[in-house]
């Protein structure tokens, strides 16, 4: 179903929808004609997500974690450095082609791991059709909400602000996401452990593992956050050029929003892997719609900084709601805790 949806979306983009979005909605005519490339890009990203889940189901946690994003970024950096060194300054089309190529290499690497001899994983019975459809529908809703939450601010900004201001916001958003990267890694590692402990009804151990892993993510995120808070302007200027130094206030606000995400712990994998994906989908979709509404008002009133404040407020509220949901359904807290670090050894034992 996911692949079919990706193919349908890709065909729509290739047949003119992408050009309409680029010219009439985003007011960036230089993107016109890139619909086929966007379609291929989406298809490769869909395969990446599928292969990530296959490797995770086979308890290949490291490979699943790499497939989720870092591998594509690594291939992209290698290609940009190599081709950029040969050709000099790259055009937009050349940069997009290299990006698509990086995702293609990631998919090829993932497929090689799937077809390796002896790559069998955890054996499980076929789930009931109704349960599968309900869970699948919930995850589609959750995925749509996540997509809107990530891209919605840029959509709204494109309506009210100049392209230069949108560029400042986009760079700030991508840079601030570095704060949440350690939590993303944790969220790809712990799902099999969450399933094992929840099926054995060992809620005490699950709480210690969740809080311990969340604490590790917070500790790794802390120096990233402090660097962005103290030297937001210099970081942006060094990484992207002097023009982007003006995005420092946006980066500070969005970095704090990502910090709120980290400090509330790995709520997403815990809700999803314990059978409460509908609650997760509800929180995510309501949060995304709220972000659009609040962001619309804030952007018209305060501009880009208003959107950043709206994102921070809604992110904090949605994550606190997820924490409350975990407490309600499972009876555990998942806030980071230094006392839980000693229980991280159970991560390895829980896999066996």
């Amino acid at each position: 179903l996911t692949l079919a949806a990706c193919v349908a979306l890709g065909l729509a983009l290739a047949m003119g929808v992408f050009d309409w979005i680029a010219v009439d909605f985003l007011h960036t005519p230089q993107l016109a004609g890139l619909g086929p490339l966007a379609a291929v890009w989406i298809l490769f990203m869909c395969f990446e997500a599928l292969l990530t889940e296959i490797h995770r189901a086979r308890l290949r946690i490291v490979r699943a974690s790499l497939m989720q994003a870092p591998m594509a970024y690594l291939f992209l950096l290698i290609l940009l450095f190599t081709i950029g060194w040969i050709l000099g300054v790259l055009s937009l089309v050349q940069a997009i082609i290299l990006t698509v190529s990086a995702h293609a290499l990631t998919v090829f690497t993932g497929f090689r791991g799937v077809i390796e001899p002896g790559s069998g994983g955890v054996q499980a019975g076929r789930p009931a059709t109704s349960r599968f459809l309900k869970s699948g529908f919930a995850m589609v809703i959750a995925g749509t909400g996540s997509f809107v939450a990530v891209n919605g601010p840029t959509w709204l900004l494109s309506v009210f602000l100049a392209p230069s201001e949108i560029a400042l916001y986009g760079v700030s958003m991508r840079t601030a996401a570095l704060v949440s990267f350690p939590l993303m890694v944790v969220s790809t590692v712990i799902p099999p452990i969450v399933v094992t402990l929840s099926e054995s009804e060992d809620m005490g151990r699950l709480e210690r593992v969740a809080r311990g892993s969340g604490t590790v993510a917070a500790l790794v995120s802390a120096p990233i956050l402090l660097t962005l808070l103290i030297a937001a302007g210099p970081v942006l200027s060094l990484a992207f050029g002097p023009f982007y130094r003006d995005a420092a206030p946006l980066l500070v606000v969005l970095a704090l929003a990502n910090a709120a995400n980290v400090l509330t712990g790995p709520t997403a994998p815990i809700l999803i892997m314990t059978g409460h994906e509908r609650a997760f989908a509800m929180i995510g979709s309501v949060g995304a719609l709220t972000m659009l509404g609040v962001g619309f008002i804030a952007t018209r009133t305060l501009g880009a900084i208003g959107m950043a404040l709206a994102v921070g407020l809604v992110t904090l509220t949605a994550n606190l709601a997820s924490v409350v949901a975990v407490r309600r359904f499972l009876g555990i807290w998942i806030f980071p805790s230094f006392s839980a670090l000693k229980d991280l050894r159970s991560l390895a034992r829980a896999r066996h």
Side-chain angles (χ1 to χ4, degrees), residues 215-272:
T215 303
V216 170
L219 290 174
V220 177
S221 295
I224 303 174
L225 175 64
L226 290 175
T227 300
L228 297 182
L229 293 181
I230 295 172
V235 167
L236 290 170
S237 180
L238 178 64
F240 303 103
F243 169 77
Y244 292 96
R245 190 184 186 94
D246 293 339
L250 294 172
L251 178 56
V252 169
V253 174
L254 293 173
L256 289 173
N258 279 269
N261 184 37
V262 174
L263 291 176
T264 48
T267 54
I270 290 178
L271 286 173
I272 293 171

Side-chain angles (χ1 to χ4, degrees), residues 12-335:
L13 293 176
M15 294 174 65
V17 173
F18 183 87
D19 290 349
W20 172 76
I21 294 174
V23 176
D24 297 331
F25 189 70
L26 298 179
H27 308 296
T28 51
Q30 61 267 34
L31 294 178
L34 300 181
L37 272 178
V40 176
W41 189 349
I42 287 175
L43 188 60
F44 279 134
M45 291 183 69
C46 183
F47 273 110
E48 282 179 24
L50 177 63
L51 291 169
T52 297
E53 298 308 318
I54 291 174
H55 287 300
R56 183 181 290 127
R58 294 178 173 182
L59 298 183
R60 294 178 170 186
I61 304 303
V62 173
R63 184 167 294 184
S65 301
L66 290 174
M67 284 289 303
Q68 186 141 3
M71 189 179 295
Y73 288 142
L74 177 60
F75 281 133
L76 178 58
L77 286 175
I78 294 173
L79 289 173
L80 287 174
F81 179 81
T82 304
I83 305 301
W85 181 75
I86 296 173
L87 300 180
V89 179
L90 299 175
S91 67
L92 176 63
V93 174
Q94 290 172 329
I96 293 177
I97 290 174
L98 291 183
T99 303
V100 175
S101 300
H103 286 282
L105 290 171
T106 302
V107 170
F108 175 75
T109 304
F111 267 123
R112 285 197 60 187
V114 169
I115 62 176
E116 286 174 357
S119 60
V122 178
Q123 299 299 317
R126 178 178 296 180
T129 302
S130 60
R131 170 65 180 166
F132 174 80
L133 292 177
K134 288 179 181 179
S135 297
F137 180 74
M139 292 311 299
V140 168
I141 297 297
T144 303
S146 177
F147 179 80
V148 172
V150 171
N151 296 282
T154 306
W155 299 339
L156 286 177
L157 291 177
S158 68
V159 175
F160 297 108
L161 302 181
S164 59
E165 295 179 276
I166 300 172
L168 293 177
Y169 184 90
V171 164
S172 301
M173 179 183 66
R174 294 296 183 185
T175 306
L178 292 173
V179 177
S180 289
F181 184 75
L183 181 65
M184 186 189 75
V185 174
V186 166
S187 297
T188 63
V189 170
I190 68 171
I193 301 164
V194 173
V195 172
T196 300
L197 295 179
S198 64
E199 287 183 348
S200 62
E201 299 184 354
D202 192 348
M203 292 297 117
R205 193 177 177 195
L206 176 59
E207 180 175 35
R208 294 191 296 272
V209 168
R211 299 187 74 176
S213 58
T215 303
V216 170
L219 290 174
V220 177
S221 295
I224 303 174
L225 175 64
L226 290 175
T227 300
L228 297 182
L229 293 181
I230 295 172
V235 167
L236 290 170
S237 180
L238 178 64
F240 303 103
F243 169 77
Y244 292 96
R245 190 184 186 94
D246 293 339
L250 294 172
L251 178 56
V252 169
V253 174
L254 293 173
L256 289 173
N258 279 269
N261 184 37
V262 174
L263 291 176
T264 48
T267 54
I270 290 178
L271 286 173
I272 293 171
M273 304 310 293
T274 56
H276 300 99
E277 61 277 350
R278 281 180 286 182
F280 173 72
M282 178 64 68
I283 293 170
S285 56
V286 171
L289 293 175
T290 304
M291 184 180 294
L292 291 179
V294 175
F296 179 85
I297 298 172
T299 302
R300 294 196 64 177
T301 305
L302 300 173
I305 193 66
M307 174 58 76
L309 291 169
V311 168
L313 176 62
V314 174
T315 298
L316 176 61
T317 304
N319 278 276
L320 289 176
S322 296
V323 170
V324 172
V326 171
R327 178 66 177 179
R328 176 188 174 189
F329 293 125
L330 303 176
I332 65 174
W333 291 113
I334 58 172
F335 290 114

